[in-house]
Amino acid sequence: MDHAELTVRDAAPPRQLSLDEYWMPFTPNRDFKSDPKMVVRAEGMYYWNDRGGKVIDAASGLFCVNCGHGRKEIAEAVQRQLTELDFIAPFLRGHAGSFELARRVAELTPGDLNRIFFANSGSESVDTAMKVALAYHHARGQSGRTMFVSRERAYHGVNFGGVSLSGMVNNRRKFGPTLPGIVHMRHTQLKENAFTRGEPAHGAELAEDLQRFVALYGAENIAACFVEPIAGSTGCLVPPKGYLKRLREICDQHGILLVFDEVICGFGRTGKPFGAQSFGVTPDIMTMAKGLTNGAQPMGAVAISERIHDTIVAAAQEGAIEFFHGYTYSGHPAACAAGLATLDIYRKEGLFERAAELAPYFLDGIWSLKDLSAVADLRGYGMLAAIDVHPSGAPGARGHLLQKKLFDNGLHLKTTGDCALVAPPLVAERSHIDAIVDCLRNTLAGV
Ligand SMILES: Cc1ncc(COP(=O)(O)O)c(C=O)c1O
């Protein structure tokens, strides 16, 4: 690969930056390094690029920055925490922040999902949830339940547990057989639901795939069924009406745990704290990350029902470690401080309610793009929407070009293949939505 460097002009005098050493994640590195898209600052709804250009954030960074950028409350809380107590081993030692944040998260979760385990990312949260499910069945004498049911086109992060659950082929295809005993239901994107806004009318019957796996493998071998309430990274697949409720029924009937991966849906994206509340279905375990700290600190969490937690704890001898799992940075003081400050902002500014109020305006804007010739399909729920473009050339090429042109035209979002995901911060004003839709319209006309 050729040497690449960039003159960075964010401060005087300009400096030379070598682009060779940093291997960027989920990025075509050669393409990026030949045409870098650099960001130097962020505030509110905007980024600024290295040429001084203002870029509206139509993706909340990467579905994280729900409260908008540069929130001083969060920065100050993190700084205070690092000066007071920078680190404490989370094994055998405690600090108030992790207990307080766990309580505050439990106030937002549905049902009795009141036991909170901290991780550092969505991927770690997913792997943690898989281990909780296995430990639970083991504790209740059903250690044969080791299989997991996931779904085609699912995204559950990049660690080996999550990749094994994953149903996006490029995330799996070069990494061998992955974990055994994982099967995938069909995805829920159906042609007859094209251009549906909100929950599609068709497809609840796809939940019966879980029933078929029960018939094929035996419920006594299945630990849990993992789904994103809205499949996010693959392109905002909103669950068909009745689909999640049916999964819940089948799980209940067969003693299978239902796990919702709320890494994108959580913290107001759907207009409620979690997708679970928006769709009226309570899982047994929920994973979350991203919006938990507004993206200001890496953090993930798993919310576990009291029943599951108590069963695992009761099965261990008094005085013994009940769950042999945890990370050096589980419940890191700085991440907890960021989480608490973020949850304060959600509450004070009523951001979940605001998202619910703004969503119809946002979706009206997205649906105003329906008749553009490049647009192949639209999907959306709450403050999350997807625009599929007709492919041109290799699969994903047009989507990638769109994402680059949008950035050059002053808009940041994430594309996945030929699909653009739009997820503005929940603090957006109507004028920001208008600006996002205008930029999308103009740019879509030219790709
Ligand atoms: C549903 C879901 N699960 C897990 C993850 C992985 O999270 P992370 O990138 O923080 O590991 C993501 C990331 O987008 C996600 O959307």
Side-chain angles (χ1 to χ4, degrees), residues 125-242:
S125 302
V126 167
D127 281 34
T128 299
M130 294 175 81
K131 287 168 93 172
V132 169
L134 294 171
Y136 167 69
H137 291 301
H138 195 275
R140 64 188 192 120
Q142 298 201 13
S143 50
R145 287 188 184 261
T146 57
M147 290 185 71
F148 292 97
V149 177
S150 181
R151 197 163 53 179
E152 293 168 357
R153 296 189 54 184
Y155 184 70
H156 294 294
V158 292
N159 292 343
F160 261 99
V163 164
S164 310
L165 294 173
S166 177
M168 293 172 75
V169 66
N170 286 332
N171 295 346
R172 310 172 53 93
R173 68 186 345 149
K174 294 182 185 161
F175 305 118
T178 69
L179 291 185
I182 299 189
V183 290
H184 294 75
M185 302 182 287
R186 280 170 293 171
H187 66 74
T188 62
Q189 185 173 11
L190 300 177
K191 278 204 178 69
E192 54 268 42
N193 291 327
F195 292 100
T196 299
R197 182 171 154 166
E199 292 167 275
H202 307 284
E205 69 284 357
L206 291 164
E208 301 306 324
D209 280 6
L210 177 56
Q211 188 69 53
R212 291 177 58 195
F213 287 136
V214 167
L216 183 61
Y217 297 108
E220 72 279 13
N221 295 312
I222 302 177
C225 172
F226 274 71
V227 287
E228 302 154 82
I230 298 174
S233 291
T234 194
C236 186
L237 306 187
V238 181
K241 282 194 184 101

Side-chain angles (χ1 to χ4, degrees), residues 63 121-124 126 155-158 228 233 261 263-264 289-290:
F63 318 106
S121 65
S123 300
E124 287 184 0
V126 167
Y155 184 70
H156 294 294
V158 292
E228 302 154 82
S233 291
D261 185 347
V263 167
I264 287 182
K290 296 190 186 274

Side-chain angles (χ1 to χ4, degrees), residues 57-393:
D57 184 1
S60 305
L62 198 52
F63 318 106
C64 317
V65 188
N66 295 354
C67 309
H69 291 277
R71 297 299 305 238
K72 295 226 167 12
E73 306 91 314
I74 303 174
E76 284 164 10
V78 170
Q79 196 200 7
R80 252 196 324 274
Q81 182 59 54
L82 287 175
T83 349
E84 178 109 356
L85 171 69
D86 55 351
F87 179 79
I88 175 73
F91 313 159
L92 305 173
R93 303 286 174 263
H95 69 96
S98 52
F99 291 94
E100 178 64 6
L101 182 60
R103 189 182 63 77
R104 294 282 302 279
V105 170
E107 280 172 6
L108 296 175
T109 54
D112 75 336
L113 272 68
N114 293 329
R115 298 293 175 263
I116 312 297
F117 198 99
F118 287 118
N120 307 291
S121 65
S123 300
E124 287 184 0
S125 302
V126 167
D127 281 34
T128 299
M130 294 175 81
K131 287 168 93 172
V132 169
L134 294 171
Y136 167 69
H137 291 301
H138 195 275
R140 64 188 192 120
Q142 298 201 13
S143 50
R145 287 188 184 261
T146 57
M147 290 185 71
F148 292 97
V149 177
S150 181
R151 197 163 53 179
E152 293 168 357
R153 296 189 54 184
Y155 184 70
H156 294 294
V158 292
N159 292 343
F160 261 99
V163 164
S164 310
L165 294 173
S166 177
M168 293 172 75
V169 66
N170 286 332
N171 295 346
R172 310 172 53 93
R173 68 186 345 149
K174 294 182 185 161
F175 305 118
T178 69
L179 291 185
I182 299 189
V183 290
H184 294 75
M185 302 182 287
R186 280 170 293 171
H187 66 74
T188 62
Q189 185 173 11
L190 300 177
K191 278 204 178 69
E192 54 268 42
N193 291 327
F195 292 100
T196 299
R197 182 171 154 166
E199 292 167 275
H202 307 284
E205 69 284 357
L206 291 164
E208 301 306 324
D209 280 6
L210 177 56
Q211 188 69 53
R212 291 177 58 195
F213 287 136
V214 167
L216 183 61
Y217 297 108
E220 72 279 13
N221 295 312
I222 302 177
C225 172
F226 274 71
V227 287
E228 302 154 82
I230 298 174
S233 291
T234 194
C236 186
L237 306 187
V238 181
K241 282 194 184 101
Y243 174 86
L244 294 176
K245 283 202 170 73
R246 183 64 189 134
L247 283 185
R248 178 72 275 179
E249 281 168 13
I250 299 169
C251 285
D252 285 345
Q253 212 180 333
H254 297 290
I256 297 168
L257 297 179
L258 181 62
V259 184
F260 279 0
D261 185 347
E262 297 259 9
V263 167
I264 287 182
C265 292
F267 301 102
R269 185 60 47 201
T270 63
K272 291 266 164 67
F274 292 96
Q277 287 121 338
S278 291
F279 299 114
V281 175
T282 304
D284 301 294
I285 299 175
M286 250 168 45
T287 54
M288 63 195 84
K290 296 190 186 274
L292 173 57
T293 59
N294 205 41
Q297 290 284 300
M299 188 175 224
V302 186
I304 298 140
S305 85
E306 291 180 22
R307 169 181 54 97
I308 293 174
H309 167 272
D310 293 351
T311 304
I312 294 173
V313 168
Q317 272 188 350
E318 194 60 45
I321 292 172
E322 298 96 355
F323 184 45
F324 277 82
H325 180 71
Y327 303 95
T328 299
Y329 301 123
S330 283
H332 190 285
C336 290
L340 285 166
T342 301
L343 297 195
D344 283 347
I345 295 173
Y346 287 138
R347 187 161 58 191
K348 269 192 217 139
E349 299 183 9
L351 288 186
F352 305 158
E353 298 75 17
R354 186 192 166 88
E357 270 167 39
L358 190 61
Y361 189 82
F362 166 63
L363 294 175
D364 281 350
I366 297 296
W367 256 256
S368 74
L369 307 170
K370 185 169 182 230
D371 295 326
L372 294 179
S373 62
V375 173
D377 191 12
L378 300 170
R379 295 173 296 282
Y381 188 100
M383 291 297 289
L384 181 64
I387 304 168
D388 285 351
V389 291
H390 292 289
S392 160

